[in-house]
Each structure stands twice: as C-alpha cells, then as structure tokens.
Amino acid sequence: EDKVVQSPLSLVVHEGDTVTLNCSYEVTNFRSLLWYKQEKKAPTFLFMLTSSGIEKKSGRLSSILDKKELSSILNITATQTGDSAIYLCAVEGGGYQKVTFGIGTKLQVIP
Amino acid sequence: DVKVTQSSRYLVKRTGEKVFLECVQDMDHENMFWYRQDPGLGLRLIYFSYDVKMKEKGDIPEGYSVSREKKERFSLILESASTNQTSMYLCASTPGYGYTFGSGTRLTVV
C-alpha cells in the first residue's frame, strides 16, 4: 500500500522564523512529489519535484527531493502570518494517475 | 486562469437521502478526481475518471458512485447518505501533473 508520512503534524512559530516540513513516502513506480498549501478552502499547488527536477524555489519557499532517502523537505524562510496553513505532501506513483496524500502539517505563524 | 467549480459549499442532508455533488472544470482536462478530507486521515481518493464515461475506484469507493457523461463534468453520488459520510469533499482535475482543486463541499449528514 502506498504511503506518505508528514512531520511534524503541527507547528507553531514566530514571524521571521525559518521552518522545515518533512515528507517521506513509500510508493511503487514513483513519478513525482507535490507540495500544496491549504488555507480555508481547497489546496493550492506549490511545487512538483521529479527525478529530473529535485529542487525548486519560489520566493521564500523552497523544496528538495531526496530520491535515495525517499523524502522531501519544504523550507519556508522569514515566515509571515500569511504562511499559516496546512501544507500537504502528495506523491504520484502506483497505478494510473494515482496520487497519495499525506495528512498534512499544520503551520501556525504568530506575530 | 484554471478553474474547478463545485456546485455547493455547504450541504446538509438526511440519512438515507440520495446526494449529488457536482464538479465542473473549464480546462479540458481528461483526468478528474473526487477526494474526501477528514481530520487525522488526510485526503483520500474516492473515485477518479480519465475520460468520458470512464471511471476507476480509488481507495474508499464504498457507498459512492460517479458519473462522467461530459468531459467537463464529474459527479459524485451518495446513493443513500450515512452519517459516516459527513466530510469535506474535494474535486480535482489535472492535465497530468499538478492538480487543481475545487473549493470543496462540506457535507453534513444528519
């Protein structure tokens, strides 16, 4: 059974801190790893990492895929209150278009 | 801009009712999905469809069915709603990578 595990489940930091969110996976036929940010409604796409693109960066957010360790991290530097959200990791693999999501990490950034 | 629209944000239904959740995308994507999201369980795949009239069971299809008569529309049907189907339902579509999600329907079955 495909599995995606995120840690920590929950995190509270102060504005300006740097945070690292973790995602590990066990899937057959790995194709890609995806990070999403979910605020009050639906998840919004952040990054996709594949074998040919193991590091992505956008502003204060960056992500690295470690295919050897079957894991990924999402870094957020200089956090802001607007970064408060649930961050979801998902892995595409296994059967046709099958994507398995982790439970998510709930990040709260306090002023 | 890419859009996935779910017809209802909030729904309250009685046990035993037949419930239809509608999802429409305007991106001409072939692949569409229905997930439910529950605290502590994350997003779980109910059904997906990779073409019109094609459907595949996900991880938790019991108690649900789907319909895809047109490419842009993917409906989730609860044949006889039960209280354990109270959840947030999310529709998504993809061209092959990077899902776009709808806003979600929070369904309460009483």
Side-chain angles (χ1 to χ4, degrees), chain A residues 13-104:
Chain A
V13 300
H14 287 96
E15 267 191 315
D17 286 352
T18 293
V19 298
T20 298
L21 309 182
N22 302 287
C23 174
S24 63
Y25 61 90
E26 292 176 30
V27 297
T28 53
N29 302 318
F30 172 87
R31 282 193 287 279
S32 65
L33 185 143
L34 307 145
W35 283 99
Y36 290 84
K37 178 182 181 183
Q38 184 175 19
E39 296 172 270
K40 287 185 181 172
K41 17 185 207 182
T44 53
F45 177 72
L46 293 175
F47 297 119
M48 183 176 75
L49 301 159
T50 66
S51 300
S52 57
I54 61 171
E55 189 167 350
K56 292 285 175 77
K57 184 173 168 62
S58 175
R60 297 176 295 104
L61 275 67
S62 63
S63 183
I64 297 173
L65 174 68
D66 187 335
K67 280 209 72 181
K68 190 175 174 186
E69 297 296 326
L70 305 184
S71 65
S72 175
I73 59 170
L74 176 68
N75 276 323
I76 309 174
T77 59
T79 52
Q80 302 171 356
T81 54
D83 295 326
S84 296
I86 294 172
Y87 289 84
L88 292 166
C89 174
V91 177
E92 188 180 11
Y96 186 89
Q97 295 286 342
K98 182 173 167 56
V99 175
T100 303
F101 283 83
I103 289 175

Side-chain angles (χ1 to χ4, degrees), chain A residues 1-2 31-32 34 36 38 40-45 47-48 50 86 88 90 92 95-104, chain B residues 9 30-31 33 35 37 39-45 48 50 58-59 88 90 94-104:
Chain A
E1 186 184 328
D2 297 338
R31 282 193 287 279
S32 65
L34 307 145
Y36 290 84
Q38 184 175 19
K40 287 185 181 172
K41 17 185 207 182
T44 53
F45 177 72
F47 297 119
M48 183 176 75
T50 66
I86 294 172
L88 292 166
E92 188 180 11
Y96 186 89
Q97 295 286 342
K98 182 173 167 56
V99 175
T100 303
F101 283 83
I103 289 175
Chain B
R9 289 297 307 278
E30 288 175 346
N31 307 304
F33 304 78
Y35 288 88
Q37 186 175 30
L41 296 174
L43 275 161
R44 294 179 293 166
L45 180 63
F48 68 99
Y50 50 90
D59 299 315
M88 168 70 88
L90 288 162
T94 177
Y97 64 90
Y99 284 24
T100 300
F101 285 87
S103 297

Side-chain angles (χ1 to χ4, degrees), chain B residues 2-98:
Chain B
V2 157
K3 215 171 206 179
V4 176
T5 303
Q6 292 183 231
S7 53
S8 306
R9 289 297 307 278
Y10 300 95
L11 273 179
V12 181
K13 295 291 182 181
R14 294 195 181 278
T15 301
E17 276 192 79
K18 191 167 185 174
V19 182
F20 292 87
L21 302 183
E22 304 287 345
C23 175
V24 178
Q25 51 100 356
D26 65 358
M27 300 159 285
D28 204 36
H29 289 169
E30 288 175 346
N31 307 304
M32 296 185 74
F33 304 78
W34 275 106
Y35 288 88
R36 62 178 282 179
Q37 186 175 30
D38 301 288
L41 296 174
L43 275 161
R44 294 179 293 166
L45 180 63
I46 305 171
Y47 266 97
F48 68 99
S49 168
Y50 50 90
D51 203 350
V52 174
K53 297 193 188 293
M54 305 300 285
K55 59 187 179 186
E56 292 282 343
K57 291 181 180 179
D59 299 315
I60 51 162
E62 297 78 20
Y64 303 94
S65 62
V66 290
S67 172
R68 184 114 182 255
E69 296 296 319
K70 292 185 179 180
K71 193 174 187 180
E72 65 270 19
R73 187 179 295 270
F74 191 34
S75 304
L76 180 69
I77 303 153
L78 286 66
E79 297 291 341
S80 177
S82 64
T83 54
N84 64 12
Q85 293 178 309
T86 291
S87 186
M88 168 70 88
Y89 290 87
L90 288 162
C91 174
S93 75
T94 177
Y97 64 90

